[in-house]
Amino acid sequence: MVYRLRTHRGRKGERRGFSEADYAALFDAAHQQLGGPLVVVWDNLNAHTSAQMRRLITARPWLTVFYLPAYAPELNPVEGVWAHMKKSLANLAMRTVDQLITLAKNQLKRMQYRLALVIGFLAKTGLDFRPPQPQPLSVSRQRKRPSRMREP
């Protein structure tokens, strides 16, 4: 589980969510940290499906992106992560945004090291995340049927 947080402080003109460049930087860092190809499962957020994002994905041959169907949060493992996070923060009182950020980072870090929990988030979706096995090529033999010719 690789993550980054973005703080929105409500300033005029401040972006609330990640931009395409932010996602690209996250993917590059994760690729370097993990040392292998990445598979990303995404919902249909505008920034995920934009032309600029498609160009950024195409430029990274080690990146594979699968898009979830529209309106299917039950298939998104991130929904389980955020639900778990909300429960852990429910009865805590933070005085500042910085305290909330620190606590959120700590909770995500704890989740990151609990492999069974992360696997549970994936399992709850019911999706099969194993790479497809190559199917052996089969040559189908079709029997030629004798043609039925009518005698005149």
Side-chain angles (χ1 to χ4, degrees), residues 15 18 20 23 42-54 67:
R15 188 178 179 99
F18 274 35
E20 289 86 345
Y23 285 116
W42 258 347
D43 56 16
N44 291 298
L45 183 69
N46 289 343
H48 297 169
T49 59
S50 71
Q52 181 182 0
M53 184 53 71
R54 285 193 303 271
Y67 290 95

Side-chain angles (χ1 to χ4, degrees), residues 78-148:
V78 168
E79 298 296 335
V81 172
W82 291 122
H84 186 79
M85 170 76 88
K86 288 177 189 177
K87 285 180 185 176
S88 69
L89 300 177
N91 294 320
L92 302 174
M94 279 68 62
R95 294 175 189 240
T96 67
V97 171
D98 292 326
Q99 287 177 343
L100 178 61
I101 292 167
T102 301
L103 190 57
K105 284 181 180 179
N106 288 337
Q107 292 295 337
L108 287 168
K109 189 76 152 174
R110 286 183 191 161
M111 280 189 244
Q112 192 176 27
Y113 290 106
R114 293 178 59 195
L115 185 59
L117 183 63
V118 174
I119 290 171
F121 296 143
L122 294 171
K124 188 175 180 184
T125 66
L127 298 174
D128 184 4
F129 287 98
R130 292 175 296 188
Q133 298 297 320
Q135 298 295 323
L137 295 176
S138 64
V139 177
S140 63
R141 296 183 181 179
Q142 295 179 352
R143 293 189 307 183
K144 291 186 178 181
R145 295 183 182 175
S147 62
R148 297 182 186 181

Side-chain angles (χ1 to χ4, degrees), residues 25-66:
L26 173 63
F27 295 149
D28 292 340
H31 175 63
Q32 190 162 16
Q33 178 183 348
L34 299 172
L38 296 180
V39 176
V40 175
V41 179
W42 258 347
D43 56 16
N44 291 298
L45 183 69
N46 289 343
H48 297 169
T49 59
S50 71
Q52 181 182 0
M53 184 53 71
R54 285 193 303 271
R55 286 191 299 274
L56 291 168
I57 291 168
T58 304
R60 290 160 176 79
W62 43 263
L63 178 62
T64 303
V65 175
F66 292 101

